[in-house]
Amino acid sequence: MTGPQEHAVVVGAGLAGSLTAVFLARRGYRVSVYERRPDPRTAGTAATGRSINLGLSARGMAALDEAGLLDAVLARGVPMRGRVVHRPDGTTRFQPYGVREHEILHSVLRDDLLRLLVDTASAHPDVSFHFGRTLTGLDRDKGTVEVADPAETVEADLIVGADGVFSAARRHLQHGLRADYAQEFLPWGYTELTIPAGPGGVPRVRLEALHVWPGEDALMVAHPNRDGSLTCSLFMAHEGPVSFAALRDRAAIHAFADAAFPDARELMPDLADELLAHPVGRLVTVRTAPWRHEDRVVLVGDAAHAVYPFFGQGMNAAFEDCLVLDACLGRHPDRGTALAAYEAARRPHTDVLADLSAANFTELRARVHRPGYVLAAAADRALSRLLPHRWVPLYTLVAHTTTPYADALARVRRQRRALAAAVTVGTAVAVLAARLSLRGRAC
C-alpha cells in the first residue's frame, strides 16, 4: 500500500474477524478490531460462548497456510482419517474420508484456534483489539462506526463485518437498500457433551476419527481431543416426543440414551449432568445480498453466509472468504473493484454450500449406517482410485480440495451423467452381443 496508511475497522473478533485482521495488517492497513465479548485469552469459554471442536479441511488449511499459521494449528489438533459410524445394534464401521494419505480432516478446539488467531493478530504493531465494545451504528457512506462502552465514533477507510450469523454490521450495511435476506432455522438444536478419557488418559474409543451416532430422531457426532477425550455435539428437535424439551430429568435422559445411542451411555458418565446444565443452541442458514457497499464495507464469514454444520464447512468457508478477500485486494488496486470481485467470487458458491449442508443433515442422520450408503461410498472410492483424474467424489471435492462449491457440484453431476450413459451403452452392447450370439447358434 502506498500513500498515507489507511484504517480498517473489523467488527467481530471471532475466527473470521481475527484472520481478516492478520491479512489486512499484512496489506499495510492499520486495523482496529471491535468485539462485544471479553478477550478470549483471559475469559475462556465465557468469551466465545461455546466450547466446540471444528473439523479443519483443505479450504481452511489453505487460508491458515497463507497466513503462516497452519503448522501451529495442526500441532494443536488431532487428525481424523475417517468416520466411525455407531450403528443402532452397537456395532461400528469405519468409513475413510478419502483414498489418499492427505485426504483427512483435523479436529481443533475452537477456543484454542481463536486464542492463536487473536495472539497472532495482536502481535502485529498495526493491529489493536477492543473487547467489550458493542457496535451500535454504521454509516456505509461516510465510513464510520458507532461503538458503545464507552460511546465512540470511529472513522475507517474500510469496514469489515465479521460479527457472525446475527450480524449487526450486516443489518446496518443493508438498512434502506434493496437487499435480499433469507433466514431459515432448523427445527433441531444442539448441545455440547463429553466423552472423557479413560484411566491414565487412554481414549475410550478410536481417537483419530469423527464418531457418528446416526438416528431419525437424534444425531450425535464426537470430535477427538489431544487429551484423549472427545467433544460431542448432540442434535435433536427442540420440542416434541423425542426432543430437548422432553429431557426434563435423569430418568428421561437415561431412557433416551439407551434407546438412541445404546453403546454411548457407558462412555459418557456425566451425560445427565451435562444435558441438564448445558444450553441448547440454534441452527440457522442465512443467505443475503449484497455483501458490500462501494469501497467502504464488506461482510465475511457467517455475517455473509451462515450454514448448517453438517458438511463441516462453516469455519472452512469463512477462512476461505478471508483468503479470497485478501487476494482480491492484492489483485485490484481499486478497493471498490476488489470488494465487487470478492462477492462475485464467493456468493454463488456459498449459496450452493448452504444446500449441500442441508442435504448432508439427512445423510448423516439417516443414511450413513445403511448398507446402500456404504456400498455407494465404496464404489465412489473405487472409481476414484481407478480414474483419479476423471472421477472425484463430492465429499473429496468439498473437503479435500479448494474447488469452488458450485463447480464441485456441477462436476459431480457431469460424472454421474457420464457414468449413467456408459452403463446404458454397455447394457445395450451386451444385449446386442447376446442376440447376435443366439442368432449365430441358430444358424
Side-chain angles (χ1 to χ4, degrees), residues 2 20 64 72 82 103 132 151 157 172 184 205 219 240 247-248 257 278 337 366 374 385 396 420 436 439:
T2 58
T20 297
L64 292 170
E103 292 176 349
D157 299 285
H172 290 294
E184 182 180 1
V205 294
L219 164 70
L247 302 181
R248 298 186 181 92
H278 291 181
T337 302
V374 174
R385 288 190 189 95
T396 298
L436 292 174
R439 285 184 184 179

mmCIF file of all heavy atoms in Angstrom, residues 2 20 64 72 82 103 132 151 157 172 184 205 219 240 247-248 257 278 337 366 374 385 396 420 436 439:
data_model
loop_
_atom_site.group_PDB
_atom_site.id
_atom_site.type_symbol
_atom_site.label_atom_id
_atom_site.label_comp_id
_atom_site.label_asym_id
_atom_site.label_seq_id
_atom_site.Cartn_x
_atom_site.Cartn_y
_atom_site.Cartn_z
ATOM 1 N N THR A 2 0.580 2.179 -0.887
ATOM 2 C CA THR A 2 1.349 3.420 -0.953
ATOM 3 C C THR A 2 0.494 4.556 -0.419
ATOM 4 O O THR A 2 -0.722 4.468 -0.325
ATOM 5 C CB THR A 2 1.766 3.707 -2.398
ATOM 6 O OG1 THR A 2 0.590 3.793 -3.219
ATOM 7 C CG2 THR A 2 2.661 2.599 -2.942
ATOM 8 N N THR A 20 -8.981 -12.093 9.306
ATOM 9 C CA THR A 20 -9.032 -10.927 8.421
ATOM 10 C C THR A 20 -8.086 -9.837 8.895
ATOM 11 O O THR A 20 -7.404 -9.185 8.091
ATOM 12 C CB THR A 20 -10.472 -10.379 8.348
ATOM 13 O OG1 THR A 20 -11.333 -11.361 7.780
ATOM 14 C CG2 THR A 20 -10.537 -9.115 7.504
ATOM 15 N N LEU A 64 -4.993 -20.686 6.390
ATOM 16 C CA LEU A 64 -4.055 -20.646 7.515
ATOM 17 C C LEU A 64 -2.608 -20.762 7.034
ATOM 18 O O LEU A 64 -1.706 -20.137 7.609
ATOM 19 C CB LEU A 64 -4.375 -21.764 8.500
ATOM 20 C CG LEU A 64 -5.698 -21.611 9.258
ATOM 21 C CD1 LEU A 64 -6.033 -22.886 10.018
ATOM 22 C CD2 LEU A 64 -5.649 -20.416 10.210
ATOM 23 N N ALA A 72 1.231 -24.368 13.285
ATOM 24 C CA ALA A 72 0.863 -24.150 14.682
ATOM 25 C C ALA A 72 -0.522 -24.706 14.983
ATOM 26 O O ALA A 72 -0.768 -25.255 16.068
ATOM 27 C CB ALA A 72 0.910 -22.664 15.010
ATOM 28 N N GLY A 82 -11.164 -40.624 9.063
ATOM 29 C CA GLY A 82 -12.458 -41.063 8.575
ATOM 30 C C GLY A 82 -13.464 -40.937 9.695
ATOM 31 O O GLY A 82 -13.198 -40.334 10.736
ATOM 32 N N GLU A 103 -5.978 -36.960 2.439
ATOM 33 C CA GLU A 103 -7.424 -36.738 2.455
ATOM 34 C C GLU A 103 -7.998 -37.057 3.841
ATOM 35 O O GLU A 103 -8.712 -38.041 4.041
ATOM 36 C CB GLU A 103 -8.093 -37.543 1.349
ATOM 37 C CG GLU A 103 -7.732 -37.016 -0.027
ATOM 38 C CD GLU A 103 -8.293 -37.838 -1.173
ATOM 39 O OE1 GLU A 103 -8.814 -38.956 -0.936
ATOM 40 O OE2 GLU A 103 -8.201 -37.378 -2.322
ATOM 41 N N GLY A 132 -15.262 -6.020 24.649
ATOM 42 C CA GLY A 132 -16.343 -5.430 25.430
ATOM 43 C C GLY A 132 -16.921 -4.189 24.791
ATOM 44 O O GLY A 132 -17.532 -3.362 25.471
ATOM 45 N N ALA A 151 -19.125 5.204 24.536
ATOM 46 C CA ALA A 151 -19.626 5.621 23.228
ATOM 47 C C ALA A 151 -18.529 6.331 22.446
ATOM 48 O O ALA A 151 -17.817 7.185 22.978
ATOM 49 C CB ALA A 151 -20.837 6.533 23.401
ATOM 50 N N ASP A 157 -11.460 3.707 6.574
ATOM 51 C CA ASP A 157 -11.462 3.627 5.111
ATOM 52 C C ASP A 157 -12.160 2.344 4.646
ATOM 53 O O ASP A 157 -12.764 2.314 3.574
ATOM 54 C CB ASP A 157 -10.018 3.646 4.596
ATOM 55 C CG ASP A 157 -9.297 4.929 4.974
ATOM 56 O OD1 ASP A 157 -9.582 5.966 4.357
ATOM 57 O OD2 ASP A 157 -8.465 4.886 5.902
ATOM 58 N N HIS A 172 -26.866 -2.968 9.603
ATOM 59 C CA HIS A 172 -26.622 -1.551 9.306
ATOM 60 C C HIS A 172 -26.202 -1.352 7.851
ATOM 61 O O HIS A 172 -26.605 -0.368 7.218
ATOM 62 C CB HIS A 172 -25.547 -1.000 10.244
ATOM 63 C CG HIS A 172 -25.999 -0.856 11.663
ATOM 64 N ND1 HIS A 172 -26.971 0.021 12.058
ATOM 65 C CD2 HIS A 172 -25.594 -1.501 12.792
ATOM 66 C CE1 HIS A 172 -27.159 -0.062 13.360
ATOM 67 N NE2 HIS A 172 -26.334 -0.981 13.838
ATOM 68 N N GLU A 184 -33.287 -19.250 7.730
ATOM 69 C CA GLU A 184 -34.050 -20.482 7.930
ATOM 70 C C GLU A 184 -33.503 -21.231 9.142
ATOM 71 O O GLU A 184 -32.338 -21.639 9.158
ATOM 72 C CB GLU A 184 -33.967 -21.374 6.685
ATOM 73 C CG GLU A 184 -34.768 -22.657 6.807
ATOM 74 C CD GLU A 184 -34.678 -23.523 5.556
ATOM 75 O OE1 GLU A 184 -33.971 -23.134 4.604
ATOM 76 O OE2 GLU A 184 -35.316 -24.592 5.542
ATOM 77 N N VAL A 205 -12.477 -44.701 22.907
ATOM 78 C CA VAL A 205 -12.811 -45.131 21.552
ATOM 79 C C VAL A 205 -11.639 -44.761 20.645
ATOM 80 O O VAL A 205 -10.712 -44.069 21.059
ATOM 81 C CB VAL A 205 -14.105 -44.461 21.039
ATOM 82 C CG1 VAL A 205 -15.322 -44.918 21.838
ATOM 83 C CG2 VAL A 205 -13.972 -42.937 21.073
ATOM 84 N N LEU A 219 -29.158 -37.231 16.478
ATOM 85 C CA LEU A 219 -27.854 -37.459 15.852
ATOM 86 C C LEU A 219 -26.785 -36.957 16.812
ATOM 87 O O LEU A 219 -26.920 -35.871 17.389
ATOM 88 C CB LEU A 219 -27.768 -36.694 14.526
ATOM 89 C CG LEU A 219 -26.391 -36.478 13.905
ATOM 90 C CD1 LEU A 219 -25.826 -37.794 13.380
ATOM 91 C CD2 LEU A 219 -26.460 -35.441 12.777
ATOM 92 N N GLY A 240 -41.088 -31.750 21.074
ATOM 93 C CA GLY A 240 -41.700 -32.957 20.540
ATOM 94 C C GLY A 240 -41.472 -34.144 21.448
ATOM 95 O O GLY A 240 -40.811 -34.036 22.492
ATOM 96 N N LEU A 247 -36.394 -33.983 27.684
ATOM 97 C CA LEU A 247 -35.356 -34.498 28.592
ATOM 98 C C LEU A 247 -35.336 -33.668 29.867
ATOM 99 O O LEU A 247 -34.415 -32.910 30.142
ATOM 100 C CB LEU A 247 -33.990 -34.469 27.892
ATOM 101 C CG LEU A 247 -33.898 -35.254 26.582
ATOM 102 C CD1 LEU A 247 -32.495 -35.156 26.001
ATOM 103 C CD2 LEU A 247 -34.283 -36.712 26.787
ATOM 104 N N ARG A 248 -36.366 -33.855 30.675
ATOM 105 C CA ARG A 248 -36.563 -32.995 31.847
ATOM 106 C C ARG A 248 -35.828 -33.491 33.085
ATOM 107 O O ARG A 248 -35.590 -32.729 34.007
ATOM 108 C CB ARG A 248 -38.052 -32.885 32.154
ATOM 109 C CG ARG A 248 -38.877 -32.249 31.050
ATOM 110 C CD ARG A 248 -40.312 -32.040 31.500
ATOM 111 N NE ARG A 248 -41.128 -31.457 30.436
ATOM 112 C CZ ARG A 248 -41.833 -32.176 29.574
ATOM 113 N NH1 ARG A 248 -41.818 -33.496 29.660
ATOM 114 N NH2 ARG A 248 -42.541 -31.585 28.626
ATOM 115 N N ALA A 257 -31.091 -42.100 26.044
ATOM 116 C CA ALA A 257 -29.757 -42.546 25.627
ATOM 117 C C ALA A 257 -29.738 -44.044 25.359
ATOM 118 O O ALA A 257 -29.117 -44.500 24.387
ATOM 119 C CB ALA A 257 -28.730 -42.181 26.693
ATOM 120 N N HIS A 278 -26.241 -27.806 30.281
ATOM 121 C CA HIS A 278 -25.739 -27.083 29.114
ATOM 122 C C HIS A 278 -26.870 -26.453 28.301
ATOM 123 O O HIS A 278 -27.938 -27.049 28.154
ATOM 124 C CB HIS A 278 -24.932 -28.028 28.223
ATOM 125 C CG HIS A 278 -23.638 -28.456 28.841
ATOM 126 N ND1 HIS A 278 -22.745 -29.284 28.197
ATOM 127 C CD2 HIS A 278 -23.065 -28.180 30.042
ATOM 128 C CE1 HIS A 278 -21.707 -29.503 28.979
ATOM 129 N NE2 HIS A 278 -21.879 -28.834 30.102
ATOM 130 N N THR A 337 -13.518 -2.158 -6.722
ATOM 131 C CA THR A 337 -13.448 -3.271 -7.670
ATOM 132 C C THR A 337 -13.074 -4.560 -6.958
ATOM 133 O O THR A 337 -13.600 -5.632 -7.258
ATOM 134 C CB THR A 337 -12.412 -2.959 -8.768
ATOM 135 O OG1 THR A 337 -12.783 -1.748 -9.432
ATOM 136 C CG2 THR A 337 -12.338 -4.086 -9.786
ATOM 137 N N ALA A 366 -29.676 -40.279 8.674
ATOM 138 C CA ALA A 366 -30.498 -41.420 8.277
ATOM 139 C C ALA A 366 -29.854 -42.390 7.300
ATOM 140 O O ALA A 366 -30.435 -43.434 7.016
ATOM 141 C CB ALA A 366 -31.819 -40.898 7.681
ATOM 142 N N VAL A 374 -23.170 -47.397 2.355
ATOM 143 C CA VAL A 374 -21.815 -47.953 2.481
ATOM 144 C C VAL A 374 -21.323 -48.457 1.129
ATOM 145 O O VAL A 374 -20.176 -48.206 0.725
ATOM 146 C CB VAL A 374 -21.795 -49.079 3.525
ATOM 147 C CG1 VAL A 374 -20.431 -49.759 3.553
ATOM 148 C CG2 VAL A 374 -22.134 -48.524 4.907
ATOM 149 N N ARG A 385 -9.981 -44.319 -7.286
ATOM 150 C CA ARG A 385 -8.668 -44.965 -7.423
ATOM 151 C C ARG A 385 -8.399 -45.352 -8.875
ATOM 152 O O ARG A 385 -7.278 -45.179 -9.384
ATOM 153 C CB ARG A 385 -8.620 -46.225 -6.554
ATOM 154 C CG ARG A 385 -8.533 -45.974 -5.061
ATOM 155 C CD ARG A 385 -8.234 -47.263 -4.322
ATOM 156 N NE ARG A 385 -8.338 -47.107 -2.878
ATOM 157 C CZ ARG A 385 -9.430 -47.402 -2.174
ATOM 158 N NH1 ARG A 385 -10.500 -47.873 -2.797
ATOM 159 N NH2 ARG A 385 -9.453 -47.226 -0.872
ATOM 160 N N THR A 396 -14.871 -35.482 -1.474
ATOM 161 C CA THR A 396 -13.461 -35.167 -1.711
ATOM 162 C C THR A 396 -13.297 -33.760 -2.258
ATOM 163 O O THR A 396 -12.439 -32.994 -1.809
ATOM 164 C CB THR A 396 -12.851 -36.188 -2.682
ATOM 165 O OG1 THR A 396 -12.920 -37.490 -2.094
ATOM 166 C CG2 THR A 396 -11.399 -35.860 -2.991
ATOM 167 N N ALA A 420 -23.896 -42.885 -16.008
ATOM 168 C CA ALA A 420 -25.190 -43.424 -16.393
ATOM 169 C C ALA A 420 -25.238 -43.716 -17.888
ATOM 170 O O ALA A 420 -25.764 -44.752 -18.319
ATOM 171 C CB ALA A 420 -26.300 -42.454 -16.014
ATOM 172 N N LEU A 436 -26.881 -61.434 -31.066
ATOM 173 C CA LEU A 436 -26.077 -61.910 -32.183
ATOM 174 C C LEU A 436 -25.545 -63.315 -31.934
ATOM 175 O O LEU A 436 -25.483 -64.150 -32.829
ATOM 176 C CB LEU A 436 -24.933 -60.931 -32.462
ATOM 177 C CG LEU A 436 -25.332 -59.566 -33.000
ATOM 178 C CD1 LEU A 436 -24.127 -58.644 -33.102
ATOM 179 C CD2 LEU A 436 -25.981 -59.719 -34.397
ATOM 180 N N ARG A 439 -28.318 -65.768 -32.552
ATOM 181 C CA ARG A 439 -28.554 -65.948 -33.992
ATOM 182 C C ARG A 439 -27.491 -66.851 -34.611
ATOM 183 O O ARG A 439 -27.758 -67.699 -35.456
ATOM 184 C CB ARG A 439 -28.540 -64.588 -34.697
ATOM 185 C CG ARG A 439 -29.807 -63.771 -34.444
ATOM 186 C CD ARG A 439 -29.742 -62.489 -35.248
ATOM 187 N NE ARG A 439 -30.881 -61.638 -34.971
ATOM 188 C CZ ARG A 439 -31.052 -60.452 -35.528
ATOM 189 N NH1 ARG A 439 -30.140 -59.985 -36.381
ATOM 190 N NH2 ARG A 439 -32.131 -59.720 -35.217
#
